[in-house]
Amino acid sequence: MTNVLIVNAGIRVTEKHGKLSAELVRRARERFEGAGFTVTVTDLNDPWTVDEEVAKVKAADLILVQTPVWAMSTPWHYTRWQDEVLTHPDVCGTDGRTRTDPSKKYGTGGFLQGKRYWLSTTWNAPKKALDEPGEFFDGRGIEEVLMPLHKQFEYMAVAPFAPTFAIHDVYKNPDIPTDLMCWDQALETAVAKLAG
């Protein structure tokens, strides 16, 4: 049985109340459960405990993080979850180095091999702000801009499942119906990949 943990980092304190993140999470849960996978959802707006979250991470085959990009990073409650849960000794591992073997490299001590993660993001920034030189992120692209999130999972030996999914320009130029169709297609691909 495939276990999927979905972490909803959508934040309810803005005028949008995290509705888009909630809808993306709802669709993901529905699609994964429809395929027969076991799905657990953590909504970071609700109370949670470190021990319960660590157990969820340990049980998960796939960790799907749905987050808005907030002040060039994730909202504070995802940062808290990451700091308290993903650095917990039961899931984080060590930095990989030892005093007796200097050839061991930093970041190679994770022990969650076989697990995968997938990032799904929403942005106020248009796609070109990330991809084009001279724009705000100077052509770095989404994966490089989100490098700290990727590196936390790599440190734990959790492998990427798929490229980061992104919905851009959600405030100034939204096209939510099209974006949701793209999400449904990405979920269909994800289900086939997990089932295969």
Side-chain angles (χ1 to χ4, degrees):
M1 178 66 70
T2 300
N3 293 306
V4 178
L5 169 60
I6 303 174
V7 179
N8 179 4
I11 192 159
R12 294 185 194 146
V13 299
T14 67
E15 69 273 5
K16 302 289 184 182
H17 304 289
K19 291 178 186 173
L20 181 55
S21 286
E23 179 61 15
L24 294 169
V25 167
R26 185 194 69 76
R27 286 170 181 252
R29 179 180 207 151
E30 184 177 277
R31 188 63 57 103
F32 288 136
E33 286 179 341
F37 305 149
T38 300
V39 178
T40 305
V41 175
T42 293
D43 186 328
L44 297 179
N45 294 283
D46 299 331
W48 53 269
T49 69
V50 171
D51 290 342
E52 289 174 352
E53 295 305 306
V54 166
K56 291 176 189 178
V57 169
K58 289 170 71 173
D61 299 299
L62 174 66
I63 302 163
L64 169 59
V65 176
Q66 166 52 48
T67 185
V69 174
W70 186 269
M72 308 311 140
S73 186
T74 57
W76 69 270
H77 61 297
Y78 180 78
T79 302
R80 176 183 170 227
W81 186 87
Q82 177 179 262
D83 288 352
E84 294 184 22
V85 176
L86 299 186
T87 63
H88 190 280
D90 287 351
V91 296
C92 189
T94 70
D95 75 15
R97 299 173 297 160
T98 68
R99 289 180 179 86
T100 58
D101 185 357
S103 68
K104 300 261 185 179
K105 293 184 178 180
Y106 180 83
T108 60
F111 51 76
L112 295 183
Q113 293 88 353
K115 296 184 182 299
R116 295 176 286 180
Y117 75 94
W118 188 20
L119 302 178
S120 172
T121 58
T122 58
W123 299 73
N124 177 43
K127 188 174 185 322
K128 72 178 188 173
L130 282 89
D131 296 343
E132 293 181 17
E135 289 285 341
F136 186 77
F137 292 101
D138 203 26
R140 288 178 175 85
I142 193 168
E143 307 302 1
E144 188 175 336
V145 171
L146 297 176
M147 187 62 62
L149 302 179
H150 291 300
K151 287 297 181 182
Q152 177 60 50
F153 284 107
E154 182 180 347
Y155 190 93
M156 300 160 55
V158 180
F161 175 70
T164 297
F165 180 82
I167 296 177
H168 294 280
D169 218 352
V170 298
Y171 284 102
K172 302 287 186 345
N173 193 24
D175 187 2
I176 303 305
T178 299
D179 294 328
L180 292 175
M181 285 176 38
C182 292
W183 181 232
D184 289 342
Q185 291 169 354
L187 289 170
E188 187 175 317
T189 301
V191 165
K193 187 174 178 179
L194 281 172

